[in-house]
């Protein structure tokens, strides 16, 4: 669950270009391996955001998680670390998106000095 300021920054990015985030989280590669995004959401629109926004369901999110269950047999397999590595590689586009959002301002200027 992002800190308050980070959550606001993510929401502002979604408000400006929700399609990009929606495309990332709904990519076939991610949803096939990890399913849909899970986590807490508000019941109403967040303060300062339109309840009629096209991506209101994304704007209402308070956390952004992908969850995957593994069978015990998979976990104790000698190949599990390789499977886990491959599964995490699939989330790279999501992690890159979040990293870019949280290390830049709304103009796209890097906050890293």
């Amino acid at each position: 669950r992002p800190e308050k300021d980070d959550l606001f920054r993510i929401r502002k990015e979604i408000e400006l270009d929700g399609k990009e985030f929606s495309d990332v989280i709904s990519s076939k590669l991610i949803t096939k391996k990890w399913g849909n995004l899970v986590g807490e959401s508000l019941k109403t629109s967040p303060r300062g955001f339109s309840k009629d926004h096209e991506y209101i369901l994304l704007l209402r999110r308070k956390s952004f998680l992908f969850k995957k269950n593994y069978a015990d047999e998979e976990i104790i397999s000698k190949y599990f670390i390789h499977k886990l590595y491959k599964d995490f590689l699939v989330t790279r586009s999501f992690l890159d998106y979040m990293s870019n959002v949280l290390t830049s301002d709304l103009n796209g200027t890097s906050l890293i000095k």
Side-chain angles (χ1 to χ4, degrees), residues 7-107:
L7 180 57
F8 180 76
R9 176 66 184 92
I10 293 165
R11 285 178 173 157
K12 289 303 285 182
E13 191 69 31
I14 293 169
E15 180 182 47
L16 292 172
D17 186 9
K19 182 174 180 353
E20 181 180 6
F21 184 62
S22 180
D23 288 349
V24 168
I25 64 170
S26 63
S27 76
K28 287 183 182 184
L29 194 59
I30 287 179
T31 57
K32 182 177 178 183
K33 287 278 186 192
W34 290 91
N36 294 318
L37 194 66
V38 297
E40 295 179 78
S41 291
L42 297 170
K43 293 182 180 169
T44 61
S45 61
R47 187 177 299 129
F49 294 88
S50 171
K51 66 179 178 161
D52 299 321
H53 192 281
E54 179 180 5
Y55 294 99
I56 190 61
L57 293 178
L58 294 177
L59 290 170
R60 288 175 34 196
R61 297 199 73 78
K62 296 192 313 185
S63 56
F64 306 86
L65 305 167
F66 286 101
K67 181 180 176 184
K68 183 171 178 67
N69 295 318
Y70 294 95
D72 292 344
E73 298 79 29
E74 290 178 288
I75 294 170
I76 61 173
S77 164
K78 66 179 181 180
Y79 302 107
F80 181 65
I81 193 71
H82 300 291
K83 179 174 182 39
L84 193 60
Y85 174 75
K86 286 181 181 181
D87 288 350
F88 272 100
L89 281 179
V90 170
T91 65
R92 191 76 229 168
S93 61
F94 171 74
L95 297 172
D96 286 347
Y97 177 88
M98 285 297 192
S99 293
N100 287 336
V101 167
L102 295 173
T103 59
S104 63
D105 64 18
L106 288 171
N107 295 318

